[in-house]
Structures are given as structure tokens and as C-alpha cells.
Amino acid sequence: MDQVLLMCESYKEKITQTTDLVQLRRIRESFHLVLTTEFHHDDLPVIHALNEVFDAMIRQVVFFTEQRISCEPGGSQPPVAYAYMLFGSGGRSEQMMGSDQDNGLIYEAVEDPAKSLEVDAYFERFAGYLTEHLVQLGFAECSGRVICTEERWRKNEKQWYSQMLSWMQDPTWEYVRYLLVLADGRCVYGAPSLYNRLRQKYNQYVRENPDILLAMLRNTLHRKVLIGLFGNVIKEPFGEAQGGIDVKYGAYVPFVNAIRLLAIRYQIVGASTLERIQKLYEAGWIDAERCQTWHEAFSVIICLRAATYMNNEEKLFVSDGKLKADQLSSDKIKRLKSSMKVAKHLQNYTRKLVARDSGGTTTWI
Amino acid sequence: MFKKGMWLASLMMLLFPVLALAEEAAPTVESVNSAVGMANIGLNSLWVMIAAILVIFMQAGFIMLETGSTRMKNAGHVAGKTIFTFGLATLVFWMVGYGFIYGTSSGGFIGIGNFFFSPDYVASADAAYAPAIDFVFQLAFAAVSLAIAWGGFAERGKLSVYLIFTVVFIGFIYPVVAHWIWNADGWLAGLAKQDFAGSTVVHLTGAMAALAATILLKPRIGKFNKDGTANQILGHNQVFTTMGVIILWFGWFGFNAGSTLGVGEGFFGYVAFNTQLAAGAAAVAALIISWIIMGKADISTMLNGALAGLVAITASCAYVEPWAAVVIGLVAGLLVFFSMKLFEKLGIDDPIYALSVHGMAGIWGTLSTGLFATEELIATGGKGLPGLFYGGGFEQLGVQALGVFTSGLFAFVVSFVALYIIKLVIGLRVSEEEEIVGLDLSEHGAYGYPENVKK
């Protein structure tokens, strides 16, 4: 544990000393090597350390991006305060070695329309460079297009608020997905208050319109836990992972989704799943036993998910989220199976709770 | 009054002329028997002919099933080859195949006689039906067995290999197995092996040829990864595949019910009834097992399940009670699912799942009479002993197992040797480039879907 902390601190320090992306990339490579050879990269403390180091790397990249623009002809420092947001696993501090980019930008709104256009232009350029830099560092672009180069995820505070409101007032499948993404946001660089204010409005809307939870429930439970009728684990039928288990979509995502929904329902602040479980307990929404069961099950799942890491593919660090057949010891299967059963119960628990609260029925879900 | 009576009598004579004849000559027992015999021959002939047509129609089922289960670039080839091999099979069966089955038995191994079959124009008075109809009916069965074998060749076999293997299979392999079991003097028939409509003769024989072929041809490009894991090569049209299955199912009423070879007291209806029960049960079982194990209700598994149920009940349809038909179907449905997984694990590429559907289910179906055959049904039109669960002990089961083993082994070994020789002489498989571009182009020069295949 101490060793992990030491290693983590030393890398964070090294990262702040880098002056360009090439150095940073080298550090990432060495970090991965150390994690996979000297540590169990699928241990909880190591996952935690990895997220801290990745945060530091991403901060450094954002810093490089600011610098790059300011050094360009006609360039400048950021014209207004902004929050560089991580969404998805980054937002939940659950990044894996193979996580991709899920990010966005919130910046201060300015009154003057001409100035506002200039600010927009700055952040458009900023987003382009930043994404390019992250790719160079080995973070693949998000396939779901949750990325700051997309206008949807790069707006000033006012625009963000009206966009969020429009999503909430028209809770179709895609918009609800965006709202759930937004719930996992975390500011890693800049002014967190920009996100916090937005989030307060988010929470307020949910309090006043609890029906939106039903729409979120439909979206949330759409991923099934890969447990069969007789409690059997459903394995990959074909492909290179044949006989393996899709830990990401068959266990991790359903678990995260259910806890996220409970967090939204109970207005829990904090984005990491384990943190959310803890806070649900502290606020008295779940009992100690449930808290412990969920905590244990999720720890197993996230650690096994970390074990799905694959190697450098075309200079990107990737993972398909699947445990291969040869990675599955009977002990692992046993642990995963019981955790997946917990995930299934959790899904049912969430479904019943949200349905009951909203007075609606979800039997068709 | 008298006038009215005359008028009525004339009308009766018009309607029932026999009344007029009756006054002339009373019917004798012989004349009535002869008329009834003629009527029976006529009815039997009609029924077997209809059944033959149904079984021939199963070729349409195979075309749809195989084409749907394979890729677009091979569609024209996969569909078309069924027709020309059926044509060639007809000639070979006429020349030697039929004779090897039904000619005078030579030691119970093979028949001699009836080559270049030239049947009497009509049925003789002591026959059940016309001999030419028997030929058409038997040919249809042989052609089904051949169509099953093609499953192992799919998407990579050379066209010339199809031609040569048709001659070997229809000219020797199939007739020998059919002779053993279906010629009254065949050695397995002598042991009273039960195989009502051909779980062994037709299905297992075809599947063993498919196994030999797929082993020698090796898997299709892209089917297996270097570490042995398998990829799914999806067929290009699931609707075709489904249509194929329902056409086969439909045709199976000719296959099984037609195998009563007569109308009699309508026993063919009972055979059809059992056939339907097993097929239904198997489709349900396969769908449910795939749902449980894979988390998704897999259409392809369900379709194969239905076929496996039909294959399994083929041997036993005339021997078992309805509940047993359901059990046979349920087991076949489960079996086909696990068998598909097994062959994949063994690294054997079975594009149309012929090995599982016709091989495994064929074995199960043949063994099933050894378990479930009832004395009463054996007396109705079968042979052999009751099954294990009906007080027959293990004897019939042993005969069934022996039949499966010897027939399967024979079909496999001869197919393997024949194909191995073909492989040495001209090669079995198209080149890698040809396989990638598709057999439509490499073997026939035109795509089955010219507008839809990317050049």
C-alpha cells in the first residue's frame, strides 16, 4: 500500500516536471510497465493510484494546451475561467489503463456577443489541440462522441444550462444518456464552481420533476447483468474472447448505472461508485450490510475489469473490457459470479425503488 | 302412380348402375378382392408419389437453408450446386445406386441387380405400389442425404469436387448403408435394426460425409483465430434460413409419414403426428437453452433445434408414444446446442451445422428407439424389440448402437478416403483469393447478387 502511494507520488512529481508531450508519453509508458510488472494493476489501491496519476497527466496536457495556444501568433491565455471536465470512467475516478477520452468544457459566459464569439473560437481551438494531445498520449477518442471537440460537450455556462434543461424537458433515449453522462462529471482542471452550479440546477430539476428518474431508469437498466436463468455466468460465444466474460458490459456498467441512478435519486455528491455507495450509507439510505455487500461486489468487479487491459494497439492503450478464457481461474469465476448476482439484485432494487417513488410501473422494462 | 314408380326406378338405375348389373351377375369374393386390391395399389401409389414430391421439395429447403447460412458472395454457387448435383445424383442412382440398395443382396453388404433401373409400367397385383414410384421416392431420400453432406463443403469446396463426390456418394456410400438397413436381406436389417425413415441411413450418412469433407477442407478463412477461439461467420440472410427450415419441416411429412409406404388404416397420420411433436419440442428446447446459456435467444440455434428434432424423430416416429416423441425432440434440441459448441471447440468448421443437426441428432434418434420403442407399435408396422423403457432390455439398444457405429464409420472412412484421393489428385479447396472473392465469381463467373457484392 505504502509502496503504491510512494510510486504514485513520484510519478505525479515527474509529470509536473515534464515540458512536452514526448516526455509525458514516455512517463505514461514507464508507468504502465511499472504497474503491470511490479504491482497487481488489478488491485483497488493501485486503481486509485492510477486515477491520480492519470489526473495529473491530463492536467499537464491541459496546461500544455494552454501554453501552445498562448505561444501561437495571435494566441492568448484563456479569455475566461473554465472547467475541464472528465466524464465516464474518468469522471468517476475509475479509469483503467485502457480508458478512452470522455471529456467536456464549461466556460464562463460573457455578455458582449462579439467577445462571446471570440471566447467560443478560443475553446474550439483549445478542444481540438487538447484532443490531439491526448491521442498522442495514448488516450483513444471516445467512440460515443462524449468529447470536447463536439459542440454539445463544449459550451459556456449559460448555454450549458439551457442545453441541460432542453434535455430534461425532452427525456428521449439519447438525451437521457447525455444527462447520465453529465451526472458523472468531475472537474479536473480550472474552476469547479462552473460545474457545481450546473449540478445544483440538475439536482433541483430532479427534485422538482422526479418523473425524469423513470426515463433514467429505462436507460440505466438497458444493460443486463450477464447472469443466466440458473445463475450461470453468460460467456462470450464468439471471437477472440470466446469463452471469456464481458466484465465491462456484463457486470461493471450495470453496477455503475444502478448506483449512479440511486445517487441521482438521493442527490448524492461525488462521482466514484464506491464513494457513492459509502455516501448512500452515511446518509441513511441503505443499511450497513447492503453497503458492505455492494462495496465488496463492486471492488471485485472493478478489479477484474482492470485485469482486462490489453496492450498498446496502434499507439493507443486499449481494453475491450473482456476477461479472456485463459484469464479465468475458477476462483475468479466464483468471485465474479457472486458479484454479478449482487449486481443483478442491485438492478432489481433500483428498479423497484425508482418505480415505487415515481408511482409508476416498470414491469415492462 | 305406376308412372311415378317407373320414373323413380329409372333414376335409381342411373345413380346406382350396380343395381342393374346385380341382376345380371352377382360379385364374387375374387372380383371384390381384386377391386379392393387395385384400389389399395392406387391409393398407396398416390400417397408414396405425393410423399416423394414432398421429399424432393426438401431440396428447396436445403437451398434456402444453406444459402441463408452462408455469405452473399457464395449465394449463387451454394444455391445452384444443389440443383446440378441433384441432377447428377438422379443419373447415378438410376445407373447403380438403386440397384446397390435393392438388388439381390450379396452377403448382406450390397445389392446386385436392377442397374439402369427399368421398372414395369404399372404395379403387379401383389405389389404395394408401382415400382417407378419407389425409385422416385428412394432417389429423393438419397438426394437429401447428399444435400446434407454438402454442408461440410460450403464456401470453399471446388465445383469439380462436388461433381466427383456426387458419383462416389450416390453410387456407393449411401447405397451400401441403405442396403444394410433397408434391404430386407441387409445385415443390419437381419439384426432388426430400427430406422423407420432414415436417421441413420439418410442423416448420419450425410453428416459423416460432411465431417470427412470439413476435416479435409479445413476451416474457412477467418473462422478460427490463432489461439483457437472461433469467430462467428454470419449467414447473409436469416429469413432465407428460416424459410429453409420451414420448407424442410413441411417436406418431412413426406419423409417420415411417406415411409409407411402405404395408406393402410391411416397409420401415416400417427407418424406425422409424432414428427410434428418432436420438431416443436426441439425448437422450443433449443431456443430456451440458448437463452439460458448465452443470454440471448439465438435464432440460428432455434432453427437448428427444429431440424434436429425432425432428424431425431425420423428413426423413431413409427415406434414411440407421443410423450416419447416430445422427449426425443427436447433432447435433440438441447443436444444440437451443445454439439454446435463442441465442434467449434474441436476446431471443426461446420458452416451449416450439418454435423450437429444431422450427425448428433441422427445418432440420438437412432438410439432413441432402443429406449422408447413399444411392442404395440412394433407390431403395427415395425420390426425388432421394444426399447429399454418398455421391457425390451438392452438388446435393441445394442443393435441400434451397433448400427450407428458401423454405418457412421463406413460412411466416414469411405468419404474420407475418396476425398483424400481427390485432394491428392486435383485438390479440394479453391485458392485463398478465390475464397475471398467468393465462389460465385471463381466457380461460375457471376455473382448471385451482382448489385450487392462489393467488387
Side-chain angles (χ1 to χ4, degrees):
Chain A
M1 176 73 185
D2 289 342
Q3 247 189 323
V4 175
L5 272 178
L6 277 177
M7 181 269 297
C8 176
E9 290 308 316
S10 107
Y11 268 101
K12 275 157 68 175
E13 201 179 318
K14 279 187 211 165
I15 286 164
T16 51
Q17 286 164 2
T18 55
T19 52
D20 60 32
L21 278 168
V22 179
Q23 287 175 6
L24 203 54
R25 166 93 194 187
R26 239 177 262 141
I27 288 186
R28 183 172 184 191
E29 281 165 6
S30 123
F31 178 62
H32 277 231
L33 196 68
V34 168
L35 278 192
T36 45
T37 53
E38 292 177 27
F39 294 89
H40 290 290
H41 69 281
D42 46 0
D43 263 2
L44 215 47
V46 179
I47 293 170
H48 184 70
L50 175 138
N51 274 274
E52 290 217 354
V53 172
F54 273 17
D55 280 1
M57 268 185 218
I58 290 166
R59 279 191 201 104
Q60 194 70 357
V61 174
V62 179
F63 173 66
F64 288 160
T65 309
E66 280 187 359
Q67 274 191 324
R68 179 174 167 188
I69 297 180
S70 71
C71 293
E72 281 183 344
S76 69
Q77 286 296 315
V80 291
Y82 69 93
Y84 176 66
M85 303 293 304
L86 293 188
F87 296 117
S89 61
R92 294 188 305 273
S93 302
E94 290 166 7
Q95 288 192 87
M96 303 283 129
M97 281 193 277
S99 288
D100 58 5
Q101 302 184 32
D102 286 298
N103 52 42
L105 280 165
I106 311 174
Y107 47 89
E108 264 179 9
V110 287
E111 292 299 324
D112 176 29
K115 177 88 165 84
S116 181
L117 285 179
E118 267 177 43
V119 173
D120 289 345
Y122 175 88
F123 284 106
E124 187 179 350
R125 178 150 61 146
F126 182 89
Y129 288 171
L130 185 54
T131 305
E132 185 191 314
H133 294 163
L134 285 169
V135 169
Q136 283 175 35
L137 198 56
F139 291 99
E141 287 189 39
C142 168
S143 53
R145 304 311 300 160
V146 178
I147 192 161
C148 60
T149 43
E150 295 284 319
E151 224 179 300
R152 182 179 292 128
W153 300 102
R154 185 190 73 239
K155 293 193 174 304
N156 72 36
E157 195 183 356
K158 267 191 181 164
Q159 292 165 334
W160 254 115
Y161 177 62
S162 60
Q163 173 171 267
M164 185 179 81
L165 202 65
S166 72
W167 291 345
M168 287 175 153
Q169 287 166 347
D170 180 20
T172 48
W173 181 268
E174 197 60 11
Y175 290 167
V176 172
R177 182 173 87 86
Y178 298 154
L179 287 170
L180 294 172
V181 168
L182 198 57
D184 284 352
R186 183 169 63 93
C187 172
V188 281
Y189 190 102
S193 57
L194 286 164
Y195 175 68
N196 293 344
R197 283 201 291 271
L198 190 68
R199 193 58 205 271
Q200 278 164 15
K201 286 172 180 157
Y202 187 115
N203 287 348
Q204 188 188 345
Y205 188 92
V206 174
R207 269 199 307 277
E208 289 167 4
N209 304 277
D211 276 0
I212 194 149
L213 287 166
L214 272 180
M216 287 178 172
L217 182 70
R218 284 195 287 275
N219 210 302
T220 290
L221 296 184
H222 136 81
R223 288 278 174 197
K224 303 269 187 295
V225 181
L226 290 178
I227 285 278
L229 194 64
F230 298 131
N232 51 315
V233 176
I234 293 165
K235 296 188 176 170
E236 283 295 293
F238 294 104
E240 287 181 357
Q242 188 180 39
I245 299 174
D246 188 346
V247 180
K248 183 177 177 187
Y249 287 109
Y252 173 77
V253 170
F255 210 114
V256 165
N257 282 350
I259 294 291
R260 181 200 299 112
L261 192 63
L262 293 178
I264 295 172
R265 161 69 183 77
Y266 292 120
Q267 314 255 303
I268 298 287
V269 191
S272 124
T273 303
L274 289 175
E275 195 183 339
R276 282 168 169 169
I277 294 171
Q278 184 62 26
K279 286 188 173 171
L280 282 168
Y281 166 62
E282 283 166 10
W285 298 114
I286 56 171
D287 60 22
E289 194 194 335
R290 192 159 269 156
C291 171
Q292 200 192 337
T293 313
W294 291 357
H295 196 286
E296 277 170 12
F298 188 72
S299 303
V300 169
I301 290 171
I302 195 170
C303 289
L304 287 176
R305 197 205 154 186
T308 65
Y309 169 68
M310 294 195 299
N311 234 328
N312 207 331
E313 189 179 277
E314 288 170 5
K315 294 193 176 170
L316 294 169
F317 299 96
V318 294
S319 159
D320 61 357
K322 293 169 185 172
L323 272 183
K324 310 294 174 291
D326 57 10
Q327 291 178 296
L328 289 167
S329 60
S330 61
D331 172 59
K332 265 186 195 163
I333 295 181
K334 208 172 138 194
R335 283 191 298 145
L336 189 56
K337 194 175 181 177
S338 63
S339 304
M340 285 165 90
K341 284 180 182 166
V342 172
K344 194 142 192 170
H345 286 140
L346 169 63
Q347 278 197 325
N348 286 335
Y349 175 87
T350 311
R351 181 200 340 257
K352 281 182 196 153
L353 186 111
V354 172
R356 189 196 63 203
D357 286 1
S358 313
T361 169
T362 58
T363 46
W364 54 274
I365 291 173
Chain B
M1 187 71 193
F2 174 76
K3 206 174 168 187
K4 199 175 180 183
M6 281 298 287
W7 183 83
L8 199 64
S10 317
L11 185 72
M12 290 298 282
M13 287 222 186
L14 265 176
L15 287 173
F16 304 105
V18 79
L19 290 176
L21 288 172
E23 284 173 22
E24 287 167 23
T28 62
V29 173
E30 288 77 28
S31 70
V32 170
N33 278 349
S34 157
V36 169
M38 286 281 281
N40 260 337
I41 289 174
L43 280 173
N44 291 341
S45 296
L46 193 60
W47 169 231
V48 179
M49 190 66 218
I50 290 169
I53 292 168
L54 283 170
V55 180
I56 288 170
F57 191 57
M58 286 171 77
Q59 295 295 328
F62 281 111
I63 289 173
M64 299 291 277
L65 174 77
E66 275 194 68
T67 311
S69 307
T70 49
R71 287 162 294 179
M72 200 177 247
K73 62 184 179 181
N74 302 318
H77 161 80
V78 169
K81 68 101 184 47
T82 304
I83 301 294
F84 75 71
T85 54
F86 183 38
L88 180 58
T90 306
L91 299 180
V92 176
F93 198 71
W94 169 67
M95 288 190 273
V96 291
Y98 188 75
F100 281 152
I101 303 175
Y102 291 108
T104 310
S105 186
S106 181
F109 180 78
I110 196 164
I112 302 293
N114 280 335
F115 300 128
F116 296 90
F117 187 55
S118 181
D120 292 340
Y121 301 144
V122 294
S124 58
D126 58 344
Y129 53 93
I133 294 173
D134 189 59
F135 176 88
V136 177
F137 190 59
Q138 297 299 335
L139 165 69
F141 276 61
V144 165
S145 194
L146 183 66
I148 292 162
W150 296 146
F153 294 69
E155 300 201 285
R156 63 223 195 278
K158 278 185 184 173
L159 189 74
S160 49
V161 175
Y162 282 92
L163 294 168
I164 299 167
F165 193 72
T166 299
V167 176
V168 178
F169 188 84
I170 296 294
F172 185 66
I173 299 170
Y174 177 84
V176 168
V177 178
H179 178 85
W180 291 358
I181 298 171
W182 282 345
N183 185 310
D185 298 324
W187 73 273
L188 280 169
L191 295 174
K193 180 183 184 291
Q194 296 161 341
D195 188 6
F196 188 72
S199 283
T200 301
V201 176
V202 179
H203 296 280
L204 183 61
T205 304
M208 292 317 270
L211 177 64
T214 201
I215 289 174
L216 284 169
L217 276 159
K218 302 207 164 58
R220 290 167 294 170
I221 295 171
K223 176 63 195 176
F224 293 102
N225 300 311
K226 276 181 191 152
D227 62 358
T229 52
N231 297 312
Q232 191 172 24
I233 299 182
L234 288 169
H236 85 281
N237 192 328
Q238 209 163 53
V239 181
F240 275 17
T241 311
T242 310
M243 281 289 290
V245 170
I246 199 66
I247 291 172
L248 285 168
W249 188 326
F250 173 80
W252 232 285
F253 289 109
F255 203 94
N256 284 1
S259 292
T260 53
L261 300 178
V263 174
E265 294 163 302
F267 181 60
F268 65 88
Y270 182 76
V271 171
F273 165 73
N274 268 351
T275 301
Q276 180 69 12
L277 284 181
V284 172
L287 184 89
I288 289 174
I289 192 69
S290 75
W291 209 340
I292 290 173
I293 305 279
M294 307 207 296
K296 298 276 181 204
D298 187 52
I299 297 288
S300 166
T301 306
M302 180 271 294
L303 296 174
N304 287 330
L307 292 179
L310 289 161
V311 170
I313 201 65
T314 294
S316 46
C317 49
Y319 286 100
V320 301
E321 291 184 354
W323 74 268
V326 172
V327 171
I328 290 166
L330 288 173
V331 172
L334 301 180
L335 182 69
V336 82
F337 174 81
F338 291 108
S339 169
M340 283 159 69
K341 300 273 162 213
L342 174 72
F343 281 114
E344 219 161 61
K345 220 163 209 169
L346 294 173
I348 294 172
D349 184 14
D350 185 14
I352 324 287
Y353 304 107
L355 308 181
S356 299
V357 168
H358 301 276
M360 287 297 197
I363 292 171
W364 159 239
T366 309
L367 296 178
S368 73
T369 67
L371 300 172
F372 300 110
T374 77
E375 200 156 3
E376 204 181 338
L377 282 160
I378 290 169
T380 306
K383 57 184 171 184
L385 296 168
L388 182 63
F389 301 143
Y390 285 86
F394 284 95
E395 198 178 333
Q396 190 63 39
L397 192 60
V399 171
Q400 298 302 103
L402 178 72
V404 162
F405 179 75
T406 50
S407 307
L409 188 71
F410 173 81
F412 179 75
V413 169
V414 179
S415 300
F416 194 91
V417 170
L419 288 166
Y420 193 74
I421 293 168
I422 299 170
K423 187 174 181 170
L424 291 181
V425 179
I426 60 164
L428 292 176
R429 188 163 174 157
V430 295
S431 72
E432 204 170 312
E433 292 76 16
E434 288 169 332
E435 188 176 336
I436 288 165
V437 78
L439 277 75
D440 279 5
L441 210 59
S442 79
E443 304 300 279
H444 309 280
Y447 278 122
Y449 293 93
E451 285 93 354
N452 291 327
V453 178
K454 281 182 197 149
K455 293 247 164 68

